[in-house]
Structure formats: C-alpha cells, structure tokens
Amino acid sequence: MLHTRHVQENPSLYLFLPIFYTVWSDAVLTPSEIKAIQDIINSQGWLSESDKEFLYSQLNPALPPSADQLKSWLEEIRKVGLSPDKKEGLAEIGIRLASLHTNGEAKENLQRAAKSLSQIEETLGVISREAAFAFLPVSRNTPTETQSTQYTFNVDKLARILDGPNEAINKKVKIIISDPEFKRIETDNLSEYREKVLQWAKHLAHQGFGAMAYPKAYGGQADMASYFSVMETLSYHDLSLVIKFGVQFGLFGMSVYFLGTEKHHKKYLKDIGTLELPGCFAMTETGHGSNVRGIETTATYDHVKKSFVINTPNEKARKEFIGNAGVHGQMGTVFAKVIVNGQDYGVGAFLVSLRDKSGKTLPGVTIKDCGRKMGLNGVDNGVIYFDNITIPKENMLDRYASVNDDGKFESPISSDNKRFFTMLGTLVGGRIGIPRSGLSAAKTGLTIAIRYGDQRRQFGPEGGAEVPILNYRTHQRRLMPLLANAYAFHFSLQYLTNRFLSRTEEDMQEIEALAAGLKSLSTWNTTKTLQECRECCGGKGYLSENRIDDLKNDTEIYTTFEGDNTVLLQLVAKSRLTEFKQEFSNMNVFGILNYVASQAKTSISEKNPFAVRKTDDEHLLDPEFQINAFEYRERTILTSAAKRLKSYIDDGMDSFEAFNQCQDHLVKVGFAHIERILLEKFIEQVKGTTDSGCKTILKKLCDLFALSQIEKNKGWYLENGYMEGVKTKAIRKLVDRLCSEVRQEAVPLTEAFNIPASCLAPII
Ligand SMILES: Cc1cc2nc3c(=O)[nH]c(=O)nc-3n(C[C@H](O)[C@H](O)[C@H](O)COP(=O)(O)OP(=O)(O)OC[C@H]3O[C@@H](n4cnc5c(N)ncnc54)[C@H](O)[C@@H]3O)c2cc1C
C-alpha cells in the first residue's frame, strides 16, 4: 500500500493504514470486517472513485499483505510517536499519520473524516486503547510487566522464627538427608525401594533419631519435641521414609511406651529405638477402619496357661493396611477384643510376634503383602491373619487393663468405652506428626511452584517482553493464599505441639479435638496445595524429577490414615458441643434459645448497619474485625447445630439418627472452629514478632489468610447478614491487592522454609 501511486498522489490515504494494519494483523479478514470498512470508505465524500477502488483492493482476502509489508506498515504508523498514556483510537492515530504527509485542504478533509471514522473501533469490535497499544514498540512498564521479587525482610530471621527452639535438630536432619547416602532412588521395583527405605531408617536410628522421644534409660533423649521436628524435617525428603519411621518409632514404639508398663519398656524400647526389633501397629481390620471399637480380632485369656489366644475369627477381621507388616515387621502391637472368663471387656492391646529374626513368618501367622499403592511404595503394608496363636500373659500392654493373678480382668477405668478412648488419647501424637509432615510436603510444592513461576515467562503485551507467570493475577490468586495457609498451619501446628508437650489430664480432651481438627484441615490443605502447585508448573510439574508427583501421591492418604478427616471433624464438633451438655440435659427448647440469644449478644453490635457496610482498609485489616468475623461464624454455626440437634432429640429422634441428620452441619462446626484457631494463632504470632521486617510480612500474610477465608465463606456471611455486598466486594479487591503484594516477597517467603536444595526440583 505504502509506495503505490495512489498513496503518493493522495497522502490522506495514510489515514486508513492503522485500520488496515489492525484488521490484517490478526490474519483473517472476515466478511463483516470487509463490509464495515467498505461502508466507511464509501461514506467518505472527499475520496475519488479511483481512491475508493484502490482502498477496496486492499481488502481482498485472497491477496493479503506479505509479512514484510505488514512490518513496514507498523514502522510507518509508529512514526506518529505513540505514547501509552494517550488514549488514542485507530482513527485518531490514522489522522495524525496522514497529517504528517499532508497540508492545506487535505488536512481539512482529514478533520471532516475524523467524525465519520470515530466509531471505527466499535464497528470492528476493537477496544480503542488496546488497538493503539498494539502499535507501541516497547513494553510500557505496567504492573504485570514490572512486578519482581523483592527482599524486604531478613530471610534468616524469618527462618529462625519458623524453626523456633528446634533449629539445631532441624539443621542436623537436613545435613543427614542431604548426604549422598540419602540420595532418592528412582525405581519401579518395590523390593528395592522398600529395602532402601529400611536402610535409611536404620541410618536415622543409628543417629539416635528413632529413640529420641523415649526415656534416657532406654537409649532415648526423652525429647518428644525433637521427635516431631525430625518427622517434619524428614518430610522434605522421602515420605515413605517418614511413614516407615513414624510406624516404627512412633506408632509401634509409642504404643509400647504409652500402653505398656515398665516390663515392656525394659524389654523392648531399646531394640525398637535402634530398629533391632522392627514392628507394626495393627489396629485396622478389613471390616473396621474408622470404627475401631467394632474390631473383631479376639484375645481370649487362658488362666491355666497364663496366656492369651489371638485369633482372626473371619475374613473381615484380618488386620489390613498394616505398615511394616508386608516384609520387615517382627512384632506388632495388635488391637483385639479382650475376653476374660467369657466376658468381652472391649478393645485392648497386645504384643504379638510375627516373624523370626530371619524374617520367616511364625506358625499361626499369615501375612499377605498389600502390594503397590497410589503412593508410599517404599512402605511394606500387609494384611495379617492370626490362627489361634498363643502369647504369654505379659504381652498384654497393661497400663490401662490387665488380668490379675486370680485370672480376673482389672482396670483403673471401669467403663470399657472410656478406657478405649483413654488408650486412643495417648496415641494422639500421630495426629500431630502427620499434619506436620504433610505441611512440609506442601511447603516443598509451594517452593517449587513459586520459584518456577518467578522464572518462567509466558505471554506479554503486544510488542513487549514475556512476563513471569507469577505476575498473572490468576497465578497469584492460586498460589498466594496457599502460601499464607502454609504459614497459618505452621504456627497452629506449633501451638498444638506445645499444648501436647505440656499437657495435663484436664487438657486432654481439648488437645485431642484440636489435633483431630488440625490434622483434618491441614492434610486437606496439603492435598489442595500440591494439586495447585502441579498445575501451576504446567507440564514440568508432571515430570517425576520435579518432585510434585511423589509429594502429591504420597500425601494423598494423609487425609485418611491417622483418622479419616470427615470422621475426625465430627469428633471436633462433638467436643465443641460438650459446651451445651448441661443445656442438653436440663434445658427445653425455650431454654436453649435463651442461651443462644445470650451467646449472640456481642454479635448484635457487630451486625449494626454501619459495621456490615464498612469497607475501609483500616477496618478490614484490623485483626479485631477479622477475629470477630471468624468467632461469629464459629459461634453461630455451633449454636445452630446445637439447636437443630436439640429439636430432633426433643421430637423423639434417636440420638445416632439426630447426629446423622446434622452431619454436614457438624463438619462445618469443625471447620469454623479450626479456622478460628488458625487465625487466632497467626495473629498472636504477628503480635509476638519483634523484628520489624518479619512482622510486616507476617502481618500481610495473616491479612491474606484472614480475608481469603472470609472471601471463601462470603456466601455464609451474606446469608447471615454479617456483611453486605459492598463489604464482601471490598474484601475481594483487598485480597487481589494482598496477593499482588505478597507475590513480590513470595520467593523469599519460600526461602524461609529453608528446604535443602537436594529436596527441591531441577526446574528451579
Ligand atoms: C497406606 C495406608 C497405611 C495404613 N497404615 C496403617 C497402620 O499401620 N496401622 C493401622 O492400624 N491402620 C493403618 N491404615 C488404615 C487406616 O487407618 C484406615 O484406612 C482409616 O482408619 C480409614 O478406615 P477405612 O479405610 O476402613 O475407611 P472407612 O472407615 O470405611 O471410611 C470410608 C469412607 O466412609 C466415610 N465414613 C466412615 N465412617 C463415617 C461416618 N461415621 N460418618 C461419615 N462418613 C463416614 C469416610 O469419610 C470415608 O470417606 C493404613 C491405611 C493405608 C491406606
């Protein structure tokens, strides 16, 4: 077009160049575009018929401009001196371009043409400003292009805050797992992988990590805090190792320690801690997983032989999924119904030998391998059957139940039910170790996805450079709230651990509920985080070498073992409902309603017309507003669940049925309660942080956690009139802003996790 006779003779035709460039640059000139431009050309009275013919000829779909022609058109257009700050449309740019080549009467023609061309963008379906942007030669320094990693806080200081008093032990574990001996292996061979994991576990035992929590008299350090830290830090490495370690030293060892008495400690703990005696924790049966009280394996006392007979009465009573049983376990803590003198005293625990030292299964014991699993394939899970095998009476773990010299059952806790729950309560440590392990896996996934997102570039403005994918709003929206969650869970799991370590008898019920709830939300959060991290890394996230594969598959079962999450959350709700116990027994519906009203008092002031519409930053970022919103939700859901249950029961419904009718409601009680704890502990952490750089970034993460949770639950807040639409909209915008701010510090925030390089991925 440029160097044709027509344009030389009538330079006003330059006016059409930006339009032609725009329609041809997307390659396909559609019939409607041709028609629209032809109409415009046709309506220009100042054009001669031959000019019009010439312009029509430029719209022939069969004769598109060549790539070089398009490039030269663009060069010509850019001569007008475009600016990203000017909101110019195609017509305006065309007029300025034509003006460079014309004067006098021709210029006047252009002014007249301007009017009829003003709708051109609309006709072509092009956004005016966007059309002009397409001509800009260089990037325009938009936030999406310029966002980059910033270091506003001291990473080492934040890492130290996360480590707390466990810095030394964490460091030691990191050194061990970075050792060449711990190089992860890539194999499809189950035996090879399981042997490797056993070998690693032995190395750890040799370093004293296995016995860490046991008393000094049995080769330990009596240091439970460090034991949890070892589990957490090992979880950056291979999760089969973590579970093998947890089964041997945690489930097996701790069951001997907590359910047994001195004679058991003396005889077994040392060998368990050194892995001389590999063992299992055999509770689950094929027929009974979540409902352990329903197990059918029997332990029948024979007073003549002073022994118990352990038996699997039917196929459903076989022990299933038992870690360490498939190949290595030589002994197991076996849970069975205690039968003494023909009486069933509920569930008890017994030490039962499974294999001899050479690994040969003992007579009366049949073990099958569970085979390949979705993950954790370095752990040998097995199915166990007992065919009336005899074990000595001393093998009963007798801290809570025993058989006396007269052959009578004895227990300090007379109720079978209460005894059972007390026994389980002592094993709550597993529900602390598992979420802490899962959180480490989530942190690893986030570290990989965030650092990859900071480096990986895709797309960008027309003519500009490609931008890091972490600068895209969706990427920030997908990863930043999960990064905030990781910090939130870290501080709450730390709190749970501390509560457990300093527990008293009175605290136990609360700690058990806290562990059940945090285990559930935290492991679900791990599953969600790793899925998002996988997708955020695109195809690279799918390659096994980049680790998310293993992390995702291995932590999948964390939502089920150590208690199925959905079942556990109902326990949390039931524990919360004990607040209402008094009212349940003596109060009628009227009484409950009064109680609910008194509970709701504070919320009335929060729900005034002014507060529900308040949208300023100062208010939304105020921890008091945030925690009030969480507490209000927790209280309201709890009281309404209580009310609902009460009314079902008052109507004569069986309590099992009433609870079942309210199950979804109860799960929400569990969520709301744990979410409130998560926020409360995060706010406390921010308050207690003295270093100003760390405090600022933690406050930002805490705000992001609080507001993204409120955003997630906004339907509920709107439904309950606690917020109006203006407020939830303002929260949404603030979450956008916080995501974008946290993005800049996301890389250093993952650096503070301090994950050994050997546990990360080649893509970063
Ligand atoms: C890899 C692996 C390792 C394991 N290691 C061990 C081990 O070493 N030792 C050991 O003893 N056990 C072990 N287990 C067993 C594990 O603890 C159980 O799988 C778990 O307790 C769940 O039991 P279940 O599989 O029978 O599921 P179920 O209890 O049958 O649950 C199935 C589904 O029903 C739902 N459900 C069940 N009850 C309710 C209810 N009341 N209300 C609403 N929903 C309900 C659950 O939410 C779940 O979705 C392991 C399991 C696996 C897979």
Side-chain angles (χ1 to χ4, degrees):
M1 172 173 174
L2 285 180
H3 306 295
T4 57
R5 179 178 54 82
H6 274 95
V7 179
Q8 308 287 321
E9 284 175 9
N10 183 3
S12 303
L13 299 185
Y14 275 105
L15 166 65
F16 292 93
L17 196 62
I19 297 171
F20 285 174
Y21 176 83
T22 303
V23 292
W24 278 117
S25 62
D26 67 2
V28 183
L29 192 55
T30 65
S32 60
E33 284 173 333
I34 296 173
K35 170 135 191 355
I37 301 171
Q38 276 177 344
D39 287 350
I40 287 168
I41 295 169
N42 203 25
S43 68
Q44 307 300 310
W46 54 277
L47 289 175
S48 69
E49 280 312 305
S50 118
D51 285 340
K52 285 181 185 173
E53 280 308 312
F54 166 72
L55 291 171
Y56 295 154
S57 73
Q58 300 296 307
L59 294 168
N60 183 351
L63 288 173
S66 68
D68 284 343
Q69 276 172 318
L70 262 187
K71 281 194 176 41
S72 66
W73 292 4
L74 182 58
E75 247 171 60
E76 190 63 36
I77 295 165
R78 283 180 178 162
K79 285 183 185 161
V80 302
L82 294 157
S83 151
D85 307 325
K86 268 199 205 157
K87 289 192 176 180
E88 286 184 300
L90 293 176
E92 286 160 293
I93 296 170
I95 288 164
R96 288 212 292 123
L97 180 62
S99 298
L100 293 178
H101 300 273
T102 52
N103 47 37
E105 191 194 342
K107 269 207 163 129
E108 282 169 31
N109 280 340
L110 288 176
Q111 290 313 318
R112 260 181 272 131
K115 225 172 183 178
S116 60
L117 284 173
S118 61
Q119 298 300 310
I120 184 72
E121 289 91 6
E122 206 175 299
T123 319
L124 294 178
V126 180
I127 301 164
S128 159
R129 209 165 136 63
E130 191 184 280
F133 266 151
F135 303 134
L136 286 167
V138 287
S139 74
R140 289 155 296 276
N141 295 332
T142 58
T144 308
E145 291 168 277
T146 53
Q147 273 188 338
S148 61
T149 290
Q150 312 283 328
Y151 286 81
T152 62
F153 62 91
N154 183 318
V155 171
D156 290 341
K157 281 189 182 161
L158 188 57
R160 244 172 272 135
I161 291 173
L162 293 177
D163 276 332
N166 307 312
E167 192 182 342
I169 183 77
N170 288 349
K171 205 167 168 185
K172 195 169 165 191
V173 177
K174 284 177 197 172
I175 291 171
I176 302 286
I177 58 179
S178 303
D179 186 90
E181 271 295 313
F182 275 75
K183 192 170 182 319
R184 274 173 293 115
I185 57 164
E186 204 178 300
T187 177
D188 283 337
N189 182 317
L190 281 187
S191 306
E192 193 187 350
Y193 189 14
R194 288 165 171 183
E195 287 313 309
K196 186 70 186 173
V197 167
L198 179 68
Q199 200 188 339
W200 283 336
K202 282 184 177 164
H203 283 311
L204 295 174
H206 189 63
Q207 294 280 336
F209 292 132
M212 200 119 233
Y214 307 159
K216 292 193 171 143
Y218 312 115
Q221 307 278 331
D223 185 353
M224 192 75 167
S226 290
Y227 172 79
F228 286 126
S229 286
V230 172
M231 284 278 285
E232 177 182 294
T233 310
L234 271 185
S235 301
Y236 295 131
H237 183 253
D238 182 292
L239 293 161
S240 285
L241 171 60
V242 175
I243 298 308
K244 185 90 172 174
F245 183 93
V247 167
Q248 171 69 20
F249 307 113
L251 290 176
F252 177 47
M254 292 299 182
S255 62
V256 173
Y257 181 49
F258 283 122
L259 303 180
T261 46
E262 202 184 351
K263 59 180 176 291
H264 303 112
H265 302 164
K266 267 191 181 152
K267 194 164 175 187
Y268 299 111
L269 270 187
K270 200 163 184 188
D271 286 349
I272 296 174
T274 56
L275 235 171
E276 229 359 79
L277 177 64
C280 320
F281 178 88
M283 182 181 263
T284 304
E285 293 177 3
T286 303
H288 292 95
S290 299
N291 181 17
V292 185
R293 250 189 315 159
I295 60 170
E296 294 176 87
T297 302
T298 48
T300 310
Y301 183 61
D302 178 340
H303 192 48
V304 178
K305 293 186 183 154
K306 305 271 189 302
S307 61
F308 280 95
V309 175
I310 308 291
N311 190 41
T312 305
N314 59 61
E315 188 69 13
K316 272 169 53 197
R318 63 185 196 164
K319 296 289 174 188
E320 190 165 7
F321 308 122
I322 310 305
N324 228 358
V327 183
H328 300 131
Q330 291 173 10
M331 185 174 252
T333 296
V334 174
F335 290 80
K337 282 199 295 190
V338 183
I339 317 272
V340 182
N341 290 324
Q343 275 287 332
D344 178 348
Y345 289 96
V347 178
F350 300 84
L351 285 171
V352 183
S353 294
L354 305 173
R355 292 187 174 89
D356 64 19
K357 285 264 168 212
S358 72
K360 199 164 154 262
T361 310
L362 295 175
V365 179
T366 305
I367 300 182
K368 291 183 188 165
D369 197 319
C370 287
R372 186 169 287 281
K373 308 181 290 283
M374 190 167 166
L376 298 178
N377 279 303
V379 183
D380 51 322
N381 293 86
V383 174
I384 316 175
Y385 300 77
F386 301 103
D387 183 9
N388 288 308
I389 59 162
T390 301
I391 58 164
K393 178 177 171 240
E394 297 75 49
N395 282 21
M396 181 181 203
L397 292 173
D398 56 356
R399 176 159 168 204
Y400 294 105
S402 57
V403 175
N404 66 18
D405 291 343
D406 300 331
K408 291 214 170 94
F409 181 86
E410 273 184 346
S411 171
I413 307 168
S414 44
S415 150
D416 293 349
N417 229 350
K418 187 149 188 249
R419 187 180 327 112
F420 172 71
F421 284 112
T422 307
M423 282 169 68
L424 284 195
T426 61
L427 304 174
V428 71
R431 292 191 183 149
I432 299 174
I434 286 300
R436 286 184 59 172
S437 164
L439 181 58
S440 293
K443 287 176 183 170
T444 309
L446 284 166
T447 304
I448 294 166
I450 287 173
R451 292 196 207 167
Y452 182 67
D454 191 46
Q455 296 162 15
R456 172 75 169 170
R457 289 170 182 269
Q458 289 289 321
F459 299 101
E462 194 69 34
E466 290 192 314
V467 302
I469 53 177
L470 200 53
N471 289 8
Y472 290 108
R473 162 127 315 148
T474 47
H475 226 70
Q476 294 175 1
R477 273 288 194 159
R478 289 158 80 186
L479 290 173
M480 298 308 115
L482 293 174
L483 181 60
N485 284 1
Y487 274 82
F489 278 107
H490 182 96
F491 297 127
S492 273
L493 287 170
Q494 209 65 59
Y495 164 72
L496 167 66
T497 310
N498 293 340
R499 286 290 306 271
F500 176 70
L501 295 175
S502 57
R503 66 195 177 276
T504 62
E505 195 129 325
E506 295 79 62
D507 285 347
M508 269 322 278
Q509 205 195 354
E510 191 196 336
I511 293 170
E512 280 168 34
L514 190 62
L518 273 171
K519 184 267 177 189
S520 301
L521 266 66
S522 182
T523 55
W524 268 326
N525 180 63
T526 291
T527 305
K528 188 169 76 177
T529 301
L530 290 169
Q531 177 63 27
E532 204 61 74
C533 291
R534 205 296 292 148
E535 292 181 36
C536 281
C537 293
K540 288 284 187 195
Y542 198 65
L543 298 186
S544 300
E545 65 171 17
N546 288 322
R547 293 233 55 207
I548 299 178
D549 167 11
D550 282 349
L551 295 172
K552 201 161 120 53
N553 287 320
D554 290 344
T555 53
E556 180 64 37
I557 195 64
Y558 283 28
T559 59
T560 300
F561 66 21
E562 279 296 343
D564 173 87
N565 285 0
T566 306
V567 175
L568 288 185
L569 275 187
Q570 292 173 58
L571 295 184
V572 177
K574 283 181 188 165
S575 146
R576 300 303 296 155
L577 283 166
T578 50
E579 272 185 31
F580 288 88
K581 223 175 172 179
Q582 191 63 18
E583 285 77 11
F584 259 94
S585 46
N586 346 335
M587 219 190 259
N588 56 23
V589 177
F590 188 66
I592 275 270
L593 288 178
N594 279 343
Y595 181 81
V596 171
S598 74
Q599 288 285 297
K601 247 181 214 152
T602 37
S603 67
I604 288 164
S605 65
E606 292 161 34
K607 272 173 74 171
N608 71 50
F610 177 64
V612 298
R613 298 178 56 82
K614 216 164 172 226
T615 58
D616 57 287
D617 279 8
E618 198 187 333
H619 168 66
L620 298 179
L621 298 176
D622 180 352
E624 201 179 321
F625 152 69
Q626 296 167 355
I627 199 72
N628 280 345
F630 277 53
E631 279 173 356
Y632 173 77
R633 184 171 135 77
E634 179 187 8
R635 222 165 40 223
T636 310
I637 296 180
L638 179 65
T639 44
S640 67
K643 236 164 75 179
R644 201 169 145 198
L645 275 171
K646 169 84 179 150
S647 87
Y648 285 146
I649 289 167
D650 282 355
D651 285 350
M653 197 184 273
D654 168 76
S655 75
F656 173 79
E657 188 55 29
F659 271 97
N660 188 39
Q661 291 297 329
C662 297
Q663 262 189 344
D664 54 326
H665 208 146
L666 296 176
V667 166
K668 284 187 184 128
V669 169
F671 265 102
H673 173 61
I674 298 298
E675 283 168 4
R676 190 262 296 164
I677 304 259
L678 284 164
L679 179 61
E680 198 173 87
K681 298 304 146 201
F682 209 155
I683 291 173
E684 279 172 18
Q685 177 62 50
V686 174
K687 260 194 199 149
T689 301
T690 47
D691 176 81
S692 79
C694 293
K695 195 182 184 88
T696 307
I697 187 64
L698 286 177
K699 165 74 174 126
K700 202 169 277 183
L701 280 174
C702 183
D703 287 335
L704 178 55
F705 171 75
L707 296 177
S708 55
Q709 291 293 323
I710 294 177
E711 191 189 26
K712 183 185 82 180
N713 296 321
K714 74 180 169 194
W716 187 90
Y717 284 109
L718 289 166
E719 193 177 279
N720 282 270
Y722 192 78
M723 288 178 200
E724 284 194 10
V726 280
K727 189 159 185 167
T728 55
K729 274 187 205 160
I731 288 173
R732 187 182 66 219
K733 282 190 191 153
L734 195 46
V735 170
D736 279 343
R737 200 176 85 205
L738 286 166
C739 282
S740 144
E741 286 173 16
V742 170
R743 175 268 172 264
Q744 318 230 29
E745 322 215 38
V747 170
L749 281 166
T750 62
E751 285 169 359
F753 295 150
N754 211 356
I755 300 172
S758 62
C759 299
L760 295 173
I763 39 166
I764 57 160

